[in-house]
Amino acid sequence: MSKPIVAIVGRPNVGKSTFFNYIVGQKISIVEDKPGVTRDRIYADTAWRGRNFTLVDTAGIEPKTDDLIETSMREQVEIAIDIADVIVFVTDIKQGITEADKDISLTLRKSKKPVVLVCNKSDVFGKINEDIYEFYNLGIGEPFAVSSVNASGIGDVLDEIYKYFPEQEKNDENEEIIKVALIGKPNVRKVITYK
């Protein structure tokens, strides 16, 4: 079994790339305060609680658009959703639920995959941001208040993602093993020796 894949999705400018960069521990995705900076899927390997997994950053989804580039970006997000074991749906707690958030949540519920709802930009320390309760209306489950800039709440999100990882098989412990298959016609001495 290969490493679990976790896809980060959401509308533009909710902090998906900042969230991605923090978890992988380096600035791989470009972070800029304008939509459309991330256009393709960006992959990075990371680990949590001793379990390796692949994290995928995606472009912001604009569900209702006929723009050719945005349609292509949406197709890249759909591919990420299809290959993911777990989906992280990032929203902006300061802006509240938008129509785009509702459309994305409907798509994610149809995917039948586990979804972890992240309410990013919750930069208030020491108290619960009352705005988080609105996000239960998306019908995805418990929302997690996070500040990707300050790294607040990210550990709780990673623990929730971890719950949904497929069971690890014993032979998966060493994922660096190279597997080789020998093929050929009968009687051509498919023998390999190693030291």
Side-chain angles (χ1 to χ4, degrees), residues 139-194:
I140 289 184
E142 180 183 358
F144 289 84
V146 164
S147 172
S148 295
V149 171
N150 300 318
S152 171
I154 291 181
D156 293 335
V157 172
L158 287 167
D159 283 342
E160 188 69 12
I161 292 167
Y162 183 88
K163 288 181 192 176
Y164 295 112
F165 284 164
E167 198 68 30
Q168 189 173 16
E169 296 175 15
K170 289 185 179 173
N171 63 354
D172 281 349
E173 291 175 10
N174 189 351
E175 294 179 359
E176 299 301 318
I177 294 175
I178 298 173
K179 298 175 184 174
V180 178
L182 298 174
I183 59 172
K185 299 187 305 186
N187 299 324
V188 292
R189 309 224 337 103
K190 298 178 289 294
V191 178
I192 187 167
T193 59
Y194 61 93

Side-chain angles (χ1 to χ4, degrees), residues 1-8 19-25 28 42-57 83-88 116 154-155 157-166 168 172 175-176:
M1 180 186 289
S2 59
K3 287 182 274 203
I5 297 174
V6 178
I8 302 170
F19 182 81
F20 173 89
N21 287 340
Y22 183 81
I23 292 174
V24 300
I28 297 173
I42 299 171
Y43 293 80
D45 290 332
T46 190
W48 183 251
R49 292 170 55 180
R51 189 76 190 270
N52 295 325
F53 65 98
T54 301
L55 194 62
V56 185
D57 190 15
I83 65 171
D85 295 295
V86 184
I87 300 163
V88 176
V116 178
I154 291 181
V157 172
L158 287 167
D159 283 342
E160 188 69 12
I161 292 167
Y162 183 88
K163 288 181 192 176
Y164 295 112
F165 284 164
Q168 189 173 16
D172 281 349
E175 294 179 359
E176 299 301 318

Side-chain angles (χ1 to χ4, degrees), residues 24-190:
V24 300
Q26 54 185 314
K27 292 185 178 184
I28 297 173
S29 279
I30 299 170
V31 177
E32 210 169 303
D33 193 19
K34 65 179 183 178
V37 175
T38 304
R39 293 192 176 184
D40 295 314
R41 291 166 286 148
I42 299 171
Y43 293 80
D45 290 332
T46 190
W48 183 251
R49 292 170 55 180
R51 189 76 190 270
N52 295 325
F53 65 98
T54 301
L55 194 62
V56 185
D57 190 15
T58 64
I61 304 173
E62 290 286 1
K64 296 176 180 174
T65 182
D66 294 326
D67 181 81
L68 188 60
I69 292 174
E70 289 180 355
T71 301
S72 175
M73 289 162 50
R74 187 173 59 231
E75 288 169 1
Q76 292 294 317
V77 175
E78 289 166 359
I79 292 168
I81 291 169
D82 287 343
I83 65 171
D85 295 295
V86 184
I87 300 163
V88 176
F89 177 24
V90 181
T91 60
D92 183 335
I93 198 167
K94 290 180 180 176
Q95 291 184 349
I97 295 175
T98 66
E99 284 303 313
D101 289 328
K102 292 176 186 175
D103 290 341
I104 294 165
S105 68
L106 180 62
T107 300
L108 296 180
R109 286 197 306 271
K110 287 179 183 177
S111 77
K112 305 283 190 212
K113 300 213 174 170
V115 178
V116 178
L117 177 58
V118 170
C119 297
N120 194 26
K121 303 184 184 180
S122 181
D123 302 327
V124 180
F125 289 107
K127 63 179 183 175
I128 295 173
N129 188 332
E130 303 276 326
D131 297 334
I132 198 163
Y133 298 113
E134 171 189 8
F135 288 85
Y136 281 99
N137 293 324
L138 291 173
I140 289 184
E142 180 183 358
F144 289 84
V146 164
S147 172
S148 295
V149 171
N150 300 318
S152 171
I154 291 181
D156 293 335
V157 172
L158 287 167
D159 283 342
E160 188 69 12
I161 292 167
Y162 183 88
K163 288 181 192 176
Y164 295 112
F165 284 164
E167 198 68 30
Q168 189 173 16
E169 296 175 15
K170 289 185 179 173
N171 63 354
D172 281 349
E173 291 175 10
N174 189 351
E175 294 179 359
E176 299 301 318
I177 294 175
I178 298 173
K179 298 175 184 174
V180 178
L182 298 174
I183 59 172
K185 299 187 305 186
N187 299 324
V188 292
R189 309 224 337 103
K190 298 178 289 294

